[in-house]
Amino acid sequence: MSDYTIRPFRQSDRDSLLACFNLVFGENNPEFRPRTAEEWSWAFEQNPAGQRIWVADCDGEVVAQYAGYPYRVRCDGELVTFSQILDSFAHPDHRRGLKRPGLFVQTGLDYLEATTGPGKDVVTFGWPIEEANRLGERYFNYEVVRTQLLLGRPVGEGPTDPLGLASESLKVEQQERVTDEVDALYERCSQGWGASVIRDSTYLNWRYLDNPFFEYRVFGARDASGTLRGLFVARTGDWLTPDVGLLMDWLVPYDDHDAADVLHEAFLASSRADGAQSLVTLFPEWCHWFGHFQSWLWTAYPSDLLTVGRQAHRWDMDYLRENWWYQLGETDLV
Amino acid sequence: MTRAAALETEEFSRAECAELFSERSPAFWSWAFGPEEDGVVARVCRDEEGRVLAGLAALRVPALVEGQEASLLQVVAAYSALSGLQREGRFVRVAEDFARSFGGTAPDGAPLAYGVPTRSIWRIAKERLSAKVMRTQDVLRVKLNRLQLPASGDCQVEEVAEFPSEVDALKLRQSEQSAIVCRHTVRALNQRFVGTPFGEYRIALARRAGVLVGYAVFKVGQTEFGQRAGVIWDWCVPGSDALAGLSLLDGLAARARSELISELALVLPDTQPDWVALQKVGFRVHGSKLVVAARHFPRQLTMRWLYHNFCYSLSDLVLEGPGELYE
């Protein structure tokens, strides 16, 4: 039987880890595009909230990984971290290593033991496929936060230039970089959000504008005094159906109807310009925008997505279901 | 410290249930047991002096699971006399005995125990009793002034005092279209909705050329803002018969307006075709406090399978309310 060491990632593991990652996720997947060093670096070295990688080492080679993206979160007024579990795997030749519960599960258990709890990641979450969720429920105490609905609608006819849209007092702009002025906007928006990833410039630039996987665009609405009144992030791609306009992030105060109207129209216009046929987004049902988007002719659809979480401090899944603001941007799906 | 004796397994009378599960009224238990005293299954844990420490009771709900007749267990009452870990331990013992006694594979055992647990019971159930979330339940709601019925349905709608015998055939059609569905007979429906301890329900039937094609049951409730709402407790329109659904809505809306009701509310699984269709005529989806949880006994009845296949109405989930509908 092989000897395994389960431990935090070291820089010297990178090439071995990437090779194993590409082998595992490329297995029986002809559409798989190997992950590059640049993409890996963005995901795990440049994340402003830190790094969460545990590996299983066998004779100097990485043969399993349990990893996550940490996020800085304001939860009940406290600054804490959540982490999204993703990109976790075990090499096919080593899956039975350690016998029960197996190398993958043991790597995950060590990860969770080391990184979660009061003063560490207080919640881990994700959108696992059914098989991974079964493992998560059985071994990692994962629970369902929500059987996830998505909002969708056809794009419809209309303008195709988002920058040409304006109300009497607002102009739409595309932002090449998000600046610190977004902090005040997040403060306004997050009133009433029990828990949310802190949407500051550091996070938004890393998540979207520095992202090597996809090209996202950020649009803002600014008034005559120069104040940023709202912002959204979008991209068009194939997800669930071809040519979908994806509204990734929507940062608009619930009571700013002017900004909401003009930014919604700008999203429609940018999606039309990108050739999108339909639109998809995600809001938690408790929030104002879940209802408001329905008044803009969005329909709520069931999905196969399960939003799951693991409690590591006092915030349980009931709390998250009723208080946690998250959107497509928090997922690794799009 | 009180020590628990062996779990009791005797038959439970409606009077004993009324005494034990006092959060529900004697009238409730009389209704739940039904005329033949077989509508409820229950288990309790007693101390050495015979005092009940914890208990669990469920309604037997006849159902079809992939075409096979079965009983589902709709958990309707849970009781514990103790607090803290002692409470948890006793309750777990009762629930495990309950599962061994009544859960299993049809036709001998119930393949599924489900319900909408309170938070304190849910905490124990998920951690120690293998219960899982089947669905976080949303509610379809429409303000009557926003209900946009594009064309009248082609059915006649009438309000009746009780269900007619043709409903059995309608329910059979419904059950042929869902892999798992509660199979309420006319007798059971009349027991559930006519002369119940839960208030006054209105039964609306839709007929096309004299043939029954759908029904709805509604009752006046109150929204979180104190407005009168028509809560649709049962909605049965087999085959996604859009025109029959429109006719029923038209009839319900007319009735609701006459009673100064401002909105209709309906609970359906989001995986049912009607769920999207109803949004097209003005219903909007709202979050709720309802979490449908279950414990399955045959391995193949996973929560994802149930999520996609279990067809139910509000009356299959909760017995009273509608407080849970509104956040």
Side-chain angles (χ1 to χ4, degrees), chain B residues 277-310:
Chain B
L278 287 163
Q279 293 179 67
K280 304 297 182 194
V281 297
F283 279 83
R284 290 191 188 158
V285 178
H286 292 250
S288 83
K289 293 176 181 168
L290 295 171
V291 175
V292 186
R295 176 174 178 175
H296 63 105
F297 298 103
R299 186 180 285 243
Q300 65 271 24
L301 255 61
T302 64
M303 291 305 111
R304 285 317 272 172
W305 187 86
L306 290 164
Y307 171 79
H308 285 289
N309 292 291
F310 189 10

Side-chain angles (χ1 to χ4, degrees), chain B residues 168-226:
Chain B
D168 279 339
L170 190 74
K171 296 299 284 187
L172 190 62
R173 278 183 59 207
Q174 184 190 35
S175 66
E176 287 165 355
Q177 291 154 11
S178 298
I180 175 167
V181 61
C182 298
R183 192 183 178 187
H184 302 297
T185 60
V186 168
R187 182 167 156 268
L189 286 169
N190 281 327
Q191 196 211 347
R192 174 70 178 88
F193 294 116
V194 180
T196 75
F198 307 122
E200 187 185 352
Y201 295 93
R202 283 73 184 271
I203 302 165
L205 307 179
R207 293 181 190 277
R208 181 180 291 125
V211 177
L212 186 68
V213 290
Y215 75 78
V217 179
F218 89 108
K219 187 173 79 167
V220 177
Q222 205 169 57
T223 72
E224 71 273 46
F225 305 114

Side-chain angles (χ1 to χ4, degrees), chain A residues 130 137 143-147 149 285-286 290 294-295 299-306 318 321-322, chain B residues 119 122 126 132-136 138 270-271 275-276 279-280 284-285 287 291 302 304 307-308 327:
Chain A
E130 188 170 4
E137 286 183 338
E143 297 172 37
V144 172
V145 176
R146 177 176 285 115
T147 48
L149 300 177
E285 286 98 311
W286 56 261
F290 182 75
Q294 292 180 69
S295 74
T299 299
Y301 293 95
S303 79
D304 280 329
L305 299 180
L306 270 183
D318 291 333
R321 182 161 45 249
E322 293 170 9
Chain B
R119 290 204 169 174
W122 172 236
K126 72 184 179 185
K132 294 184 170 64
V133 172
M134 182 195 311
R135 169 177 280 105
T136 50
D138 296 290
D270 46 47
T271 45
W275 199 77
V276 169
Q279 293 179 67
K280 304 297 182 194
R284 290 191 188 158
V285 178
V291 175
T302 64
R304 285 317 272 172
Y307 171 79
H308 285 289
E327 289 197 299

Side-chain angles (χ1 to χ4, degrees), chain B residues 19-38:
Chain B
E19 183 184 352
L20 172 59
F21 301 108
S22 57
E23 76 274 20
R24 296 210 180 273
S25 66
F28 166 84
W29 290 110
S30 184
W31 166 85
F33 273 88
E36 289 160 18
E37 291 275 323
D38 62 351

Side-chain angles (χ1 to χ4, degrees), chain B:
Chain B
M1 181 174 153
T2 308
R3 292 176 58 126
L7 287 161
E8 292 291 332
T9 56
E10 80 268 24
E11 293 287 318
F12 250 62
S13 70
R14 65 180 70 179
E16 285 170 317
C17 268
E19 183 184 352
L20 172 59
F21 301 108
S22 57
E23 76 274 20
R24 296 210 180 273
S25 66
F28 166 84
W29 290 110
S30 184
W31 166 85
F33 273 88
E36 289 160 18
E37 291 275 323
D38 62 351
V40 172
V41 292
R43 277 291 178 268
V44 296
C45 174
R46 296 181 189 272
D47 67 15
E48 289 166 333
E49 286 149 15
R51 289 176 301 213
V52 173
L53 299 177
L56 189 64
L59 303 183
R60 279 190 220 263
V61 182
L64 278 180
V65 181
E66 295 198 299
Q68 188 180 14
E69 292 199 8
S71 286
L72 308 184
L73 301 173
Q74 182 185 355
V75 177
V76 293
Y79 168 81
S80 177
L82 301 170
S83 60
L85 288 176
Q86 267 194 322
R87 171 186 197 266
E88 196 169 313
R90 300 283 183 261
F91 184 76
V92 168
R93 282 184 62 185
V94 168
E96 288 295 2
D97 186 60
F98 179 92
R100 278 191 298 274
S101 302
F102 307 118
T105 304
D108 301 325
L112 187 71
Y114 76 95
V116 181
T118 62
R119 290 204 169 174
S120 60
I121 292 296
W122 172 236
R123 187 181 60 76
I124 300 170
K126 72 184 179 185
E127 289 175 3
R128 302 191 56 184
L129 297 169
S130 305
K132 294 184 170 64
V133 172
M134 182 195 311
R135 169 177 280 105
T136 50
Q137 183 69 53
D138 296 290
V139 182
L140 291 159
R141 294 166 64 177
V142 63
K143 299 280 184 201
L144 289 180
N145 58 8
R146 290 188 181 156
L147 185 62
Q148 299 168 333
L149 300 176
S152 290
D154 59 349
C155 303
Q156 290 74 50
V157 176
E158 61 174 335
E159 205 170 304
V160 295
E162 58 183 40
F163 287 94
S165 59
E166 306 141 272
V167 167
D168 279 339
L170 190 74
K171 296 299 284 187
L172 190 62
R173 278 183 59 207
Q174 184 190 35
S175 66
E176 287 165 355
Q177 291 154 11
S178 298
I180 175 167
V181 61
C182 298
R183 192 183 178 187
H184 302 297
T185 60
V186 168
R187 182 167 156 268
L189 286 169
N190 281 327
Q191 196 211 347
R192 174 70 178 88
F193 294 116
V194 180
T196 75
F198 307 122
E200 187 185 352
Y201 295 93
R202 283 73 184 271
I203 302 165
L205 307 179
R207 293 181 190 277
R208 181 180 291 125
V211 177
L212 186 68
V213 290
Y215 75 78
V217 179
F218 89 108
K219 187 173 79 167
V220 177
Q222 205 169 57
T223 72
E224 71 273 46
F225 305 114
Q227 296 163 324
R228 285 162 64 83
V231 178
I232 301 171
W233 282 78
D234 200 350
W235 175 262
C236 178
V237 185
S240 302
D241 186 340
L243 290 177
L246 291 178
S247 297
L248 270 175
L249 282 176
D250 211 12
L252 293 181
R255 183 72 154 98
R257 286 189 186 100
S258 74
E259 297 197 24
L260 304 178
I261 284 170
S262 61
E263 73 166 55
L264 296 174
L266 172 61
V267 168
L268 285 176
D270 46 47
T271 45
Q272 292 293 306
D274 288 353
W275 199 77
V276 169
L278 287 163
Q279 293 179 67
K280 304 297 182 194
V281 297
F283 279 83
R284 290 191 188 158
V285 178
H286 292 250
S288 83
K289 293 176 181 168
L290 295 171
V291 175
V292 186
R295 176 174 178 175
H296 63 105
F297 298 103
R299 186 180 285 243
Q300 65 271 24
L301 255 61
T302 64
M303 291 305 111
R304 285 317 272 172
W305 187 86
L306 290 164
Y307 171 79
H308 285 289
N309 292 291
F310 189 10
C311 175
Y312 54 76
S313 284
L314 178 61
S315 62
D316 297 317
L317 301 181
V318 296
L319 301 171
E320 295 169 282
E324 300 94 333
L325 295 189
Y326 301 110
E327 289 197 299

